[in-house]
């Protein structure tokens, strides 16, 4: 009886003590010492059940040690060092500290899917103010100075056309400005520097125009240099601003953010043109210089104040070390070698070419074919611009309200915008036989607005997907494609109408119909390219981003 009790103790005691999870070596030594009889004899063989329990306990111990080691390594930045929650000697404690709780973002701000802080609506509006300031200077260059040169100075229309072409030609430098902001690690200095060049160029162009009244060659030389400076400044500021938005705006807000910055740029046009026109009467060269200087100074101050502190809300990215910097053309070749980036570049060029080609021919078409008065054609242009604004607001509202659903896909809205634009242009080519002119023009504006804002939102999303050291270069490539196509589209559209009337038919209806139909075909080609792009959607409705500590595993 005593022997059986001893054997029972020898088999049950180790299993009970194993629940305390000591090391296997210490447990084996303790069991041997505790079960050794006073008179040595043949040792009892452990039962199969005891052996299986010992193996299971050993596996449990190894798994527990591995989990503790992983958690210690994960939380070591929070626990190591003196006073860091570790032991008295500054080492980590035996059990890791729990990860910090999820904290909601401050009011008006958000977080990305990785848990990083993003720009809230107030900061997006402030960046939109930079676009307002940019637009207020550009509108004086492309509208007011154009009119003064042609009417007051009696210069050929080719002169302001050449100067505006210089402004668009400078857009080819956008990839270089984006590359520079990538290397520096911050975008704000590039935006401020670009705005400084833009405002200085705007003031210089006004001075050159006024000087041309007395010294034509010197005045035009100064104007040419100033228009080039405006193009460089607009490219540097606009590219870095869009890169800042692409990295700082949450995916669900990109469509609305693109709408805000675009609409606020149009607001700059709408506010500056009538105000500047009011103060230009009665006209004089000195008054032109004073008004342009005031607009440029106000625009620069507004841009600087709007930018102050915005980028500090985003995660800091250190400048790239000199030893790790890659040459510009190496980075450019890598960006263009990406099939997605290359397809999107072609799409931007083709679609923007079609978008801008009807800008200069729609009002002459309405006057020649439908016998509209100048006032009526101006109202028609206003109806189209109202449609553009409606299309932008439609995309912004739907992508915000329907996030997490197929309706939030920016690629879907690009496709709908291109298809709608093509259909409206084909209806215009029919010469009013299919639908009345005004509804078709308004529909064209809605489709143009939906396409434009979805394309900008997709541009921001695709730039954010790439390497952070290439975002500026990517955005610069797409901005250059957009600027060059926009500048060439207006000229090619008007030239195509004249060429058709000269070489094929003198009938204006057929000439304009041929050009409108060609623009519709370009939009269909852009639609095919858009369908080849990967879908760009925001996060699901109600999605809660993981804390970086939890997301690390």
């Amino acid at each position: 009886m005593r022997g059986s009790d001893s054997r029972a103790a020898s088999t049950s005691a180790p299993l009970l003590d194993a629940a305390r999870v000591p090391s296997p070596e210490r447990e084996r030594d303790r069991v041997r010492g505790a079960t050794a009889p006073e008179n040595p004899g043949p040792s009892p063989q452990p039962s199969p059940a005891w052996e299986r329990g010992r193996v299971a306990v050993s596996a449990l111990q190894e798994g527990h040690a591995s989990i503790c080691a992983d958690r210690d390594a994960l939380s070591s930045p929070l626990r190591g060092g003196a006073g860091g929650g570790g032991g008295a000697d500054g080492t980590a404690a035996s059990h890791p500290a729990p990860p910090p709780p999820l904290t909601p973002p401050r009011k008006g701000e958000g977080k990305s899917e990785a848990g990083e802080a993003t720009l809230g609506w107030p900061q997006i509006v402030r960046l939109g103010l930079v676009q307002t300031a940019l637009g207020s200077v550009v509108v004086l260059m492309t509208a007011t100075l154009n009119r003064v040169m042609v009417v007051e100075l009696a210069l050929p229309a080719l002169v302001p056309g050449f100067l505006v072409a210089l402004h668009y030609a400078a857009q080819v430098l956008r990839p270089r400005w984006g590359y520079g902001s990538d290397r520096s690690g911050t975008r704000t200095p590039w935006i401020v520097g670009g705005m400084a060049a833009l405002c200085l160029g705007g003031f210089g162009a006004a001075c050159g125009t006024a000087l041309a009244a007395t010294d034509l060659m010197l005045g035009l030389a100064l104007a040419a240099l100033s228009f080039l400076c405006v193009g460089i400044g607009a490219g540097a500021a606009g590219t870095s601003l869009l890169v800042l938005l692409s990295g700082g705006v949450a995916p669900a807000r990109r469509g609305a953010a693109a709408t805000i910055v675009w609409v606020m740029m149009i607001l700059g046009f709408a506010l500056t043109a009538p105000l500047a026109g009011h103060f230009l009467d009665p006209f004089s060269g000195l008054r032109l210089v004073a008004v342009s200087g005031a607009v440029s100074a106000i625009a620069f101050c507004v841009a600087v104040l709007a930018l102050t502190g915005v980028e500090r809300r985003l995660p800091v990215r250190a400048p790239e070390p000199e030893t790790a910097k890659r040459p510009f053309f190496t980075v450019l070749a890598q960006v263009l070698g990406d099939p997605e980036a290359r397809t999107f570049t072609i799409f931007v060029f083709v679609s923007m070419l079609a978008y801008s080609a009807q800008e200069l021919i729609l009002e002459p078409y309405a006057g020649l074919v439908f016998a509209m008065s100048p006032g009526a054609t101006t109202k028609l242009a206003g109806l189209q611009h109202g449609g553009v604004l409606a299309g932008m607001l439609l995309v912004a509202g739907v992508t915000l309200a329907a996030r997490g659903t197929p309706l939030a896909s920016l690629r879907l809205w690009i496709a709908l915008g291109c298809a709608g634009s093509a259909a409206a242009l084909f209806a215009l080519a029919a010469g009013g036989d299919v639908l009345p002119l005004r509804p078709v023009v308004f529909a064209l504006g809605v489709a143009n607005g939906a396409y434009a804002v979805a394309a900008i939102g997709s541009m921001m999303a695709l730039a954010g997907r790439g390497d952070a050291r290439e975002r500026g270069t990517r955005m610069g490539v797409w901005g250059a494609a957009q600027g060059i196509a926009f500048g060439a589209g207006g000229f090619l559209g008007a030239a195509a109408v004249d060429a058709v009337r000269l070489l094929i038919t003198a009938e204006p209806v057929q000439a304009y119909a041929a050009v409108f139909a060609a623009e519709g075909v370009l939009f269909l080609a852009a639609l095919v390219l858009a369908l080849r792009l990967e879908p760009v959607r925001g996060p699901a409705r109600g999605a809660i981003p993981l804390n970086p500590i939890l997301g690390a595993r």
Side-chain angles (χ1 to χ4, degrees):
M1 192 70 181
R2 180 180 178 184
S4 63
D5 292 340
S6 174
R7 284 191 299 273
S10 67
T11 56
S12 62
L15 290 176
L16 291 174
D17 289 341
R20 302 185 182 95
V21 198
S23 64
E25 292 78 10
R26 293 178 59 189
E27 179 62 19
R28 186 165 54 252
D29 294 340
R30 191 188 67 77
V31 170
R32 287 176 179 174
T35 58
E38 295 180 359
N39 297 322
S43 60
Q45 296 296 324
S47 65
W50 185 91
E51 184 65 26
R52 287 194 298 271
R54 185 185 64 80
V55 173
V57 168
S58 298
L60 203 65
Q61 291 167 349
E62 294 176 359
H64 179 268
S66 175
I67 291 173
C68 288
D70 287 347
R71 293 182 63 188
D72 288 342
L74 182 63
S75 58
S76 59
L78 302 176
R79 300 172 53 226
D89 58 350
T91 60
S94 60
H95 296 286
L102 291 172
T103 58
R106 290 180 291 180
K107 185 177 180 180
E109 295 183 358
K111 286 197 174 184
S112 67
E113 295 180 9
E116 297 177 344
T118 59
L119 298 177
W121 295 119
Q123 289 77 47
I124 294 174
V125 171
R126 287 171 62 182
L127 293 180
L129 282 174
V130 180
Q131 287 286 81
T132 302
L134 190 150
S136 66
V137 177
V138 170
V139 72
L140 289 180
M141 309 288 294
T142 58
T144 305
L145 296 184
N146 180 21
R147 193 262 186 195
V148 170
M149 288 182 182
V150 174
V151 178
E152 274 71 23
L153 300 182
L155 296 175
L158 183 63
V159 173
F162 172 75
L163 295 175
V164 173
L166 276 179
H167 159 259
Y168 284 115
Q171 305 306 305
V172 75
L173 297 175
R174 278 179 177 256
R176 184 60 183 83
W177 311 137
Y179 170 83
S181 67
D182 287 337
R183 302 285 80 80
S184 65
T186 180
R187 315 293 177 182
T188 301
W190 289 86
I191 301 175
V192 173
M195 286 301 302
L198 172 70
C199 295
L200 184 63
F203 178 67
C207 294
T209 303
L211 180 61
T214 56
D215 192 332
L216 181 61
M217 297 306 297
L218 184 60
L220 291 182
L222 178 59
L225 182 62
S226 299
F227 268 85
L228 190 62
C229 190
V230 166
I232 292 174
T239 300
S240 296
L241 180 68
L242 287 178
V243 176
L244 183 59
L245 279 169
S246 70
V249 175
R253 296 179 174 180
R254 282 177 180 144
T259 300
I260 289 173
V261 296
W262 191 295
V263 169
M264 293 189 73
M265 183 176 66
I266 297 175
L267 182 64
F269 297 160
L271 289 177
T272 305
L275 286 175
H278 172 75
F279 288 106
L280 279 174
D281 290 330
F283 177 79
S284 68
L286 185 60
R287 189 180 289 268
L288 175 65
V289 171
V291 170
S292 177
V295 169
S296 297
I298 293 172
F300 181 75
C301 293
V302 168
V304 172
L305 291 175
L307 280 170
T308 302
V310 171
E311 194 171 10
R312 287 203 296 265
R313 296 176 178 268
L314 300 175
V316 178
R317 187 172 67 88
E320 192 172 357
E322 289 291 338
T323 55
K325 287 183 179 180
R326 294 173 296 170
F328 166 66
F329 288 105
T330 301
V331 177
L332 182 62
Q334 185 167 346
V335 169
L336 294 177
D338 180 7
E340 187 82 3
R342 186 170 59 250
T343 301
F344 192 73
T345 303
I346 300 172
F347 159 76
V348 168
F349 183 84
V350 172
S351 59
M352 190 55 63
L353 193 66
Y355 178 90
S356 60
Q358 47 84 23
E359 285 287 322
L360 298 181
I361 65 174
L362 182 59
E363 289 190 57
Y365 168 74
L368 289 172
V369 176
F370 293 90
M372 286 186 172
S373 66
T377 59
T378 301
K379 291 179 181 178
L380 188 68
L383 183 65
Q384 183 191 13
H385 294 153
V388 171
L389 180 59
M392 291 179 176
L393 295 177
L394 174 66
V395 173
V398 173
T399 53
L400 276 179
R403 61 184 182 274
T405 68
L407 286 177
S409 171
L410 293 176
R411 186 180 69 162
L412 170 66
W413 288 102
I414 288 177
L416 291 176
C418 290
S421 299
L425 286 167
F426 290 143
L428 284 176
D433 297 333
V434 178
L435 292 172
L437 180 62
R438 286 181 176 84
V440 171
V441 170
F442 181 76
L444 177 63
V446 173
N448 283 172
Y451 142 76
V453 75
I456 294 176
S458 297
M459 193 183 297
M460 292 162 52
L462 291 174
R465 283 182 184 177
D467 189 345
R469 297 171 298 177
E470 297 176 357
R471 286 179 182 174
T473 308
R474 285 172 174 263
M475 191 67 74
V477 168
W478 300 328
Q482 175 187 351
I484 294 172
F486 196 88
F491 171 77
L492 292 177
V497 170
D498 291 339
V500 172
R501 295 185 67 178
L502 180 64
L503 301 176
I504 300 177
T505 176
E507 289 294 329
V509 176
Q510 298 177 10
Y512 281 101
V515 176
F516 283 136
E519 294 171 14
V521 172
L522 284 177
F523 265 120
L524 291 181
L527 171 62
V528 174
L529 291 170
L531 294 178
R532 294 174 56 187
L533 300 172
E534 293 184 8
V536 179
R537 285 192 181 96
R541 182 190 300 272
I544 301 176
L546 289 175
N547 185 283
I549 297 297
L550 300 179
R553 293 283 310 277

